[in-house]
Amino acid sequence: MKTSTIAKSIAISTALAAALSASVLAQSGPVAGPGMGMGMGPGAGQMGPGARGMRGMRFDQTNTPGWTLMSAEERTANQTKMRAVKTYDECKVVQSEQHAVMETRAKEKNITLNAPRQNGCDVMKARGFIK
């Protein structure tokens, strides 16, 4: 009798663990590829127009003020513009324009924008993507 109760408990535990594991394994997510870096946020590793081989460079919610205030199309446009710059000064102009637009939107919605962890233009220059 005791053996069958233990066997039932093990069977129920195993079935529960399998059901919970299946839902986690079924969730699709980004898969790291060669040279894509640690951050796998939206847009990471995209090689669209203007990307110019910036595999490790990403523009996402952690380093783009106002990311959550932009539509998917605006995010893609911002990424493309940033990847298309060739000089540090050009990068700073694009970045300043984007920040101004996002500051305006944030004020309209009574939101304070988070500062990026690091300056994207500085990172791009340090990695040799721009001069």
Side-chain angles (χ1 to χ4, degrees):
M1 189 75 158
K2 188 175 182 180
T3 305
S4 66
T5 304
I6 293 172
K8 285 180 185 177
S9 295
I10 291 172
I12 291 172
S13 298
T14 304
L16 182 60
L20 293 174
S21 298
S23 66
V24 170
L25 294 173
Q27 294 178 7
S28 64
V31 177
M36 291 181 70
M38 292 298 291
M40 295 310 303
Q46 289 182 353
M47 295 301 292
R52 290 191 359 252
M54 291 189 193
R55 282 191 173 268
M57 197 67 215
R58 66 172 192 212
F59 304 96
D60 60 25
Q61 68 275 6
T62 66
N63 61 10
T64 306
W67 181 266
T68 58
L69 300 173
M70 290 187 267
S71 68
E73 293 80 19
E74 289 172 315
R75 292 176 188 150
T76 301
N78 181 53
Q79 291 168 353
T80 302
K81 281 182 192 177
M82 287 297 287
R83 288 183 173 131
V85 298
K86 293 178 177 42
T87 66
Y88 183 81
D89 292 335
E90 186 181 352
C91 181
K92 293 303 286 179
V93 168
V94 170
Q95 190 179 60
S96 296
E97 290 171 354
Q98 180 66 23
H99 287 192
V101 171
M102 291 302 106
E103 275 292 335
T104 302
R105 282 192 195 172
K107 284 180 184 175
E108 289 171 357
K109 295 185 178 211
N110 212 15
I111 297 172
T112 301
L113 289 182
N114 292 333
R117 293 182 301 173
Q118 51 191 329
N119 185 311
C121 296
D122 292 342
V123 173
M124 290 170 65
K125 186 174 182 178
R127 292 184 183 179
F129 296 133
I130 58 176
K131 296 179 189 233

